[in-house]
Amino acid sequence: MQHPSVEQGQRIPRHVAIVMDGNGRWAKRRFMPRIFGHKHGVDALVRTVQACADRGIEYLTVFAFSSENWKRPTDEVSGLMGLVLVAVSKYLTKLEKEGVRIRIIGDRAAVSERVRAAWQQAENATAHNTRITLSVAFNYGGRWDIVQACRRALAQGLRPEELDEARLGQLMAMGHAPDPDLFIRTGGEVRISNFLLWQVAYSELVFTDCLWPEFGEAQLDAALRDYASRERRFGGVPDAQPQALRA
């Protein structure tokens, strides 16, 4: 059944990607440690997963921790790692019951065994779900993704002529999902920040000043309306007949 906030005939993206920015600033404005912002950010994520699923979005991919975030203060990084364990313990059963499939994308080598075990638990417990796929990018970078895909191609012994965009895309961390239709970044920054560089080549970009802990259904629906109003041409011209390439 169509969600009440979705207008009749409104085009809904199949895949939404979000850079969840502004947790630290949200906490600072309230004179709280940055980790409190990240905790409220997890709550915002759970709300957003539910809202996306209710609106018929099939894939949601979020940037939780970039490969550059290791440069942050040690206590913040440590708190984020602990927050992974808390979030899995607090929300896994709820998400599993609501039909959410969880996938973790990124370089797992640098995180602790406890965090890797929590991720594995989340993936295994939700592997049967099909309502919406939540991909969480943790210790992820777009350039890393392209490099690791190339390394996998070499390891598989692919010849140069066997490697094309489709094959390389399958070897990337998001090989299980179509490219994002809509890319949202909260927090007021207007950049991609090394997130899904390959996959967002033709995504519609929406930037909002809303800090991530305050993101909710109203902000999601505003982004969806913006997306629905755009004409996606993928480099072409509407109603134009493709011309044969000249010899």
Side-chain angles (χ1 to χ4, degrees), residues 149 152-163 167-168 171:
R152 290 178 66 188
L154 291 171
Q156 292 179 11
L158 291 179
R159 297 190 301 274
E161 62 272 17
E162 293 178 312
L163 190 60
R167 191 68 180 271
L168 192 61
L171 296 172

Side-chain angles (χ1 to χ4, degrees), residues 98-118:
E98 292 180 355
V100 180
R101 181 173 186 179
I102 298 173
R103 305 284 293 255
I104 308 298
I105 63 169
D107 185 359
R108 305 190 185 204
V111 302
S112 71
E113 180 58 38
R114 287 186 68 197
V115 171
R116 288 199 298 271

Side-chain angles (χ1 to χ4, degrees), residues 35 42 64-65 77-92 104 111-112 114-122 136 138:
I35 193 62
V42 173
F65 189 88
V77 172
S78 177
L80 283 167
M81 297 301 164
L83 192 55
V84 171
L85 305 177
V86 172
V88 170
S89 173
K90 183 177 180 181
Y91 289 116
L92 180 56
I104 308 298
V111 302
S112 71
R114 287 186 68 197
V115 171
R116 288 199 298 271
W119 287 343
Q120 195 65 54
Q121 178 190 1
V136 180
F138 204 101

Side-chain angles (χ1 to χ4, degrees), residues 3-241:
H3 192 272
S5 66
V6 177
E7 297 178 8
Q8 186 69 33
Q10 180 176 327
R11 183 161 47 94
I12 294 295
R14 189 179 178 200
H15 184 177
V16 174
I18 304 179
V19 177
M20 306 181 294
D21 198 13
N23 292 331
R25 281 171 285 159
W26 182 89
K28 186 177 180 180
R29 291 177 184 178
R30 288 158 178 78
F31 305 101
M32 297 189 298
R34 290 175 60 86
I35 193 62
F36 278 88
H38 294 302
K39 288 179 179 177
H40 283 272
V42 173
D43 296 336
L45 172 57
V46 174
R47 291 196 307 268
T48 302
V49 173
Q50 180 67 64
C52 286
D54 288 346
R55 287 155 180 77
I57 294 165
E58 298 176 46
Y59 298 88
L60 172 64
T61 302
V62 297
F63 208 4
F65 189 88
S66 80
S67 48
E68 287 77 34
N69 286 158
W70 294 104
K71 302 172 187 175
R72 294 188 175 190
T74 303
D75 59 341
E76 182 178 353
V77 172
S78 177
L80 283 167
M81 297 301 164
L83 192 55
V84 171
L85 305 177
V86 172
V88 170
S89 173
K90 183 177 180 181
Y91 289 116
L92 180 56
T93 300
K94 171 183 172 65
L95 293 174
E96 189 275 328
K97 288 181 178 178
E98 292 180 355
V100 180
R101 181 173 186 179
I102 298 173
R103 305 284 293 255
I104 308 298
I105 63 169
D107 185 359
R108 305 190 185 204
V111 302
S112 71
E113 180 58 38
R114 287 186 68 197
V115 171
R116 288 199 298 271
W119 287 343
Q120 195 65 54
Q121 178 190 1
E123 289 183 327
N124 291 346
T126 62
H128 62 285
N129 283 337
T130 58
R131 186 179 179 211
I132 185 172
T133 297
L134 169 65
S135 299
V136 180
F138 204 101
N139 196 25
Y140 173 91
R143 291 179 175 178
W144 164 85
D145 196 3
I146 295 170
V147 169
Q148 68 86 27
C150 292
R151 287 176 173 170
R152 290 178 66 188
L154 291 171
Q156 292 179 11
L158 291 179
R159 297 190 301 274
E161 62 272 17
E162 293 178 312
L163 190 60
D164 56 17
E165 291 184 14
R167 191 68 180 271
L168 192 61
Q170 291 170 359
L171 296 172
M172 290 194 180
M174 289 298 297
H176 60 275
D179 289 344
D181 304 293
L182 172 62
F183 175 104
I184 302 170
R185 180 169 185 151
T186 63
E189 303 291 355
V190 187
R191 55 176 174 265
I192 294 174
S193 293
N194 198 22
F195 185 42
L196 302 177
L197 293 181
W198 175 279
Q199 295 86 351
V200 300
Y202 280 101
S203 300
E204 298 297 326
L205 309 181
V206 172
F207 299 95
T208 172
D209 291 332
C210 174
L211 301 178
W212 176 248
E214 298 171 348
F215 192 87
E217 292 192 45
Q219 290 77 20
L220 175 64
D221 288 335
L224 293 178
R225 287 193 298 271
D226 194 343
Y227 169 82
S229 71
R230 300 186 188 183
E231 184 177 48
R232 306 190 73 199
R233 298 191 297 272
F234 300 97
V237 177
D239 302 323
Q241 295 296 321

